[in-house]
């Protein structure tokens, strides 16, 4: 199977043409029990079933492409009181006809849709989400990047058994607006549940948003890996080593969709990398591109960029201005990036993820020169060194943090609530490892490049940072809530195989 397509989500979410609740036909997934779902005529789905481009010859089933970008469908707020959000999510097997005929592909999905429903929340909201697990495995919902208490964060210690239910309850603090997401986090099962389809986007909005006047588009990137029969393929040894890859990189469940953009128009794009392991270098060569936000919300000011590197789990906000410069590809491009894979080929050339179609002419709306205040964190009260390493001689513990494989019953360190921590994260490895910390956002201070430290050129709030092979990243953060927090590689196959640890933050 050729490796010049895009990977599947094993850490966060696997995608497939977006389908709303009730749009899936009944089907039993191989090796797993199924749940009954109402059948629905495929033709009635319209553009939402668009996706997928034909894979190259010999790489498995072909999928259609070129439909308009499907919108992420929001979860309905059932609360009747302002400042509250109440809803229900269920994880269950579903199946879909990808090719418009009698063939069915089995997925696992939230509320029968892949990607899962979009949660649109506001700063200060009281959130209550009922969750039902209809899978044959225990699972959790991890609220990736969100400032929620440890007991509500979907950690591996709080599994919901098959057939079980629970309620997640938390209050969103002020000044936490940004693009987040949710996905499973049961130890040993995270990768599989994600690549089978479990993941969804979260947007926390602010009433003081300086970009609220711009039209907004949402692009959730995920991988789909199919076998020759059109079913989701299991992980092979190469996937376990390098991280899972697939033939199709989907956007909102669609393969190479069309995005409408007027000449001169400014749009705000929120982008999620929900793939299992692919580090995606995005570019829009024919248009103006400005970075305005990271994992934890807006930057202090817009930054002109030529490309955007997103590792698994990362999000970004960009402002795109339609220019359609002659002689340059108008679409959204993935450029090659070498991340140190050993068992898969690296991407060798530019690949088109979506076509950008000129749709009239519009005036260029203003882009503020400043977006928010971001104050640098001060002198740290504690420093730590976190080493990510590989030991392929030990099949039971191939991926390590500080020389140890993850043990759910072991505390790997303690910290204090409210104390500034400075961590130096080292990739003592032959491949890149994206580092994720639960429960808070951090500021990257500096990165080593060829052994020389270089200051980060701008402040941003993040919860994932890529650590290139053989290099280091220095970051600072504060945890505001007491309890156990995970930190791990966000290549989900690596996380499941031990590249994870936990630290207990104690009240001061």
């Amino acid at each position: 199977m050729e490796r010049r397509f895009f990977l599947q989500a094993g850490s966060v979410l696997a995608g497939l043409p977006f389908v709303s609740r009730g749009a899936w036909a009944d089907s039993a997934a191989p090796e797993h029990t199924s749940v009954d779902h109402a059948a629905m005529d495929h033709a009635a789905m319209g553009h939402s079933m668009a996706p997928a481009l034909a894979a190259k010859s010999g790489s498995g089933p072909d999928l259609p492409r070129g439909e308009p970008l499907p919108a992420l469908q929001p979860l309905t707020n059932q609360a009747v009181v302002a400042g509250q959000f109440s809803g229900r999510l269920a994880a269950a097997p579903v199946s879909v006809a990808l090719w418009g005929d009698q063939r069915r592909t089995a997925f696992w999905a939230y509320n029968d849709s892949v990607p899962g429903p979009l949660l649109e929340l506001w700063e200060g909201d009281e959130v209550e989400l009922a969750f039902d697990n209809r899978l044959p495995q225990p699972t959790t919902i991890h609220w990736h990047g969100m400032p929620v208490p440890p007991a509500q964060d979907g950690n591996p210690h709080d599994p919901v058994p098959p057939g079980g239910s629970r309620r997640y309850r938390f209050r969103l603090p002020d000044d936490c607006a940004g693009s987040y997401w949710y996905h499973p986090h049961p130890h040993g099962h995270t990768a599989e549940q994600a690549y089978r389809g479990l993941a969804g986007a979260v947007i926390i909005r602010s009433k003081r948003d300086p970009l609220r006047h711009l039209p907004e588009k949402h692009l959730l990137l995920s991988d789909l890996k199919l076998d020759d029969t059109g079913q989701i393929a299991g992980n092979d040894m190469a996937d376990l080593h390098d991280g899972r890859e697939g033939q199709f990189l989907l956007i909102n469940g669609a393969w190479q969709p069309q995005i409408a953009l007027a000449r001169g128009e400014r749009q705000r794009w929120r982008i999620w990398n929900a793939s299992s392991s692919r580090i995606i270098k995005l570019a829009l060569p024919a248009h103006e591109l400005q970075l305005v936000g990271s994992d934890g919300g807006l930057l202090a000011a817009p930054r002109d960029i030529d490309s955007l590197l997103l590792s698994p789990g990362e999000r970004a906000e960009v402002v795109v201005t339609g220019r359609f410069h002659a002689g340059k590809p108008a679409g959204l491009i993935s450029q090659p990036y070498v991340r140190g894979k050993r068992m898969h080929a690296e991407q060798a050339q530019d690949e088109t993820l979506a076509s950008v179609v000129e749709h009239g002419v519009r005036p260029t709306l203003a882009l503020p020169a400043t977006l928010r205040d971001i104050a640098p964190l001060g002198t740290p009260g504690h420093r730590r060194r976190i080493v990510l390493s590989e030991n392929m001689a030990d099949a039971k513990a191939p991926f390590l943090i500080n020389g140890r494989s993850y043990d759910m019953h072991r505390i790997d360190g303690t910290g204090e609530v409210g104390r500034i921590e400075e961590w130096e994260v080292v990739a003592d490895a032959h491949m890149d490892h994206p580092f994720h910390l639960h429960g808070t956002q951090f500021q990257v201070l500096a990165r080593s490049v060829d052994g020389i430290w270089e200051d980060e050129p701008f402040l941003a709030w993040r919860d994932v940072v890529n650590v290139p092979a053989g290099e280091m990243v220095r970051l600072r953060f504060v945890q505001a809530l007491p309890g156990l927090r995970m930190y791990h590689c966000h290549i989900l196959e690596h996380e499941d195989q031990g590249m994870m640890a936990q630290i207990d933050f104690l009240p001061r």
Side-chain angles (χ1 to χ4, degrees):
M1 185 173 289
E2 293 209 22
R3 293 297 167 188
R4 291 197 275 178
F5 293 90
F6 288 67
L7 343 193
Q8 156 41 27
S11 100
V12 26
L13 138 178
L16 150 334
F18 171 81
V19 179
S20 61
R21 182 170 178 79
W24 301 86
D26 296 338
S27 175
E31 308 176 31
H32 301 286
T33 58
S34 65
V35 173
D36 291 337
H37 297 275
M40 180 175 178
D41 183 1
H42 178 276
M45 298 175 193
H47 291 154
S48 67
M49 283 302 298
L53 178 215
K56 294 186 179 179
S57 174
S59 62
D62 292 348
L63 293 175
R65 65 174 170 181
E67 297 287 340
L69 177 71
L72 298 176
Q73 298 302 304
L75 183 68
T76 300
N77 184 7
Q78 299 173 352
V80 296
V81 178
Q84 295 183 3
F85 187 97
S86 176
R88 190 171 205 97
L89 292 169
V94 292
S95 66
V96 67
L98 287 176
W99 302 273
D101 55 25
Q102 297 304 308
R103 293 175 293 174
R104 296 290 187 271
T105 300
F107 286 82
W108 293 352
Y110 293 117
N111 291 14
D112 296 353
S113 101
V114 183
L118 168 67
L119 273 61
E120 292 192 85
L121 310 172
W122 290 86
E123 293 176 337
D125 273 357
E126 297 281 350
V127 180
E128 180 173 322
L129 289 156
F131 173 61
D132 301 315
N133 180 13
R134 300 173 190 161
L135 303 174
Q137 297 176 351
T139 191
T140 74
I141 299 182
H142 169 49
W143 308 102
H144 182 118
M146 294 170 60
V148 304
Q152 305 300 318
D153 198 30
N155 290 330
H157 309 79
D158 299 313
V160 180
S165 300
R166 73 156 290 172
R167 288 182 182 271
Y168 291 97
R169 296 184 178 94
F170 47 85
R171 180 190 176 278
L172 296 174
D174 294 334
D175 200 28
C176 69
S179 303
Y180 304 91
W181 62 306
Y182 60 97
H183 61 82
H185 214 305
H187 185 49
H189 300 296
T190 298
E192 180 186 6
Q193 292 183 13
Y195 73 62
R196 288 187 177 276
L198 290 168
V202 180
I203 297 174
I204 301 177
R205 298 192 180 276
S206 169
K207 294 179 181 178
R208 303 178 304 279
D209 184 356
L211 300 180
R212 61 186 176 275
H213 63 293
L214 296 180
E216 187 169 307
K217 282 188 166 63
H218 307 144
L219 287 74
L220 191 148
L221 310 180
S222 64
D223 264 307
L224 179 62
K225 179 180 179 180
L226 299 177
D227 63 21
D228 290 339
T229 69
Q231 295 301 314
I232 294 177
N235 276 336
D236 56 27
M237 289 302 295
D239 295 329
L240 296 177
H241 181 276
D242 287 348
R244 182 182 179 90
E245 299 197 356
Q247 308 99 312
F248 307 101
L249 181 62
L250 308 179
I251 305 180
N252 298 355
W255 176 249
Q256 289 196 343
Q258 293 184 2
I259 300 175
L261 179 67
R263 185 176 292 273
E265 181 184 16
R266 274 203 171 119
Q267 294 181 354
R268 178 187 193 175
W269 291 10
R270 295 179 186 261
I271 306 174
W272 292 259
N273 182 356
S275 72
S276 177
S277 64
R278 185 176 296 270
I279 298 173
I280 307 171
K281 187 178 180 182
L282 299 171
L284 282 157
H287 311 285
E288 289 180 14
L289 187 60
Q290 292 168 300
L291 181 66
V292 296
S294 56
D295 299 332
L298 295 177
L299 306 182
R303 297 184 60 86
D304 295 334
I305 58 174
D306 295 321
S307 62
L308 172 68
L309 195 72
L310 285 183
S311 61
E314 278 192 276
R315 292 86 63 208
E317 295 182 52
V318 297
V319 168
V320 179
T321 306
R323 296 304 184 198
F324 297 93
H325 291 302
K328 296 184 178 181
L332 177 63
I333 304 299
S334 167
Q335 297 178 335
Y337 176 80
V338 176
R339 65 176 181 86
K341 293 180 290 183
R342 292 291 178 87
M343 301 181 73
H344 294 121
E346 301 280 7
Q347 180 180 334
Q349 59 190 18
D350 289 353
E351 300 197 5
T352 300
L353 304 187
S355 57
V356 177
V357 180
E358 188 171 351
H359 191 68
V361 178
R362 292 188 181 176
T364 303
L365 298 178
L367 182 60
T370 59
L371 302 173
R372 72 187 292 200
D373 292 328
I374 301 180
L377 293 173
T379 303
H382 193 79
R383 290 181 170 87
R384 303 176 199 266
R385 184 177 173 88
I386 309 297
V387 180
L388 313 176
S389 63
E390 303 150 3
N391 179 17
M392 295 305 139
D394 186 351
K396 294 182 178 179
F399 298 101
L400 309 172
I401 293 184
N402 288 351
R404 298 195 287 188
S405 182
Y406 176 64
D407 182 345
M408 188 180 299
H409 305 291
R410 184 186 70 231
I411 303 299
D412 297 292
T414 58
E416 290 184 3
V417 168
R419 182 175 68 183
I420 297 173
E421 295 245 353
E422 181 175 295
W423 288 15
E424 193 170 279
V425 185
V426 182
D428 183 15
H430 71 261
M431 71 178 89
D432 293 15
H433 291 285
F435 176 81
H436 173 49
L437 173 65
H438 286 208
T440 191
Q441 300 287 316
F442 52 73
Q443 295 177 351
V444 173
L445 305 178
R447 305 171 191 249
S448 71
V449 178
D450 296 328
I452 299 173
W453 284 101
E454 295 184 358
D455 291 341
E456 191 74 353
F458 61 96
L459 279 179
W461 291 110
R462 313 173 189 270
D463 55 65
V464 179
V465 61
N466 187 53
V467 188
E471 298 192 2
M472 297 176 280
V473 172
R474 187 174 294 141
L475 56 87
R476 287 181 188 169
F477 67 89
V478 175
Q479 288 282 5
L481 299 171
L484 199 64
R485 297 296 188 181
M486 322 302 298
Y487 54 98
H488 58 85
C489 174
H490 218 289
I491 293 176
L492 296 190
E493 284 74 26
H494 297 174
E495 170 194 324
D496 273 350
Q497 295 178 88
M499 193 172 273
M500 182 160 63
Q502 53 198 13
I503 181 170
D504 193 12
F505 286 90
L506 307 174
R508 300 185 79 169

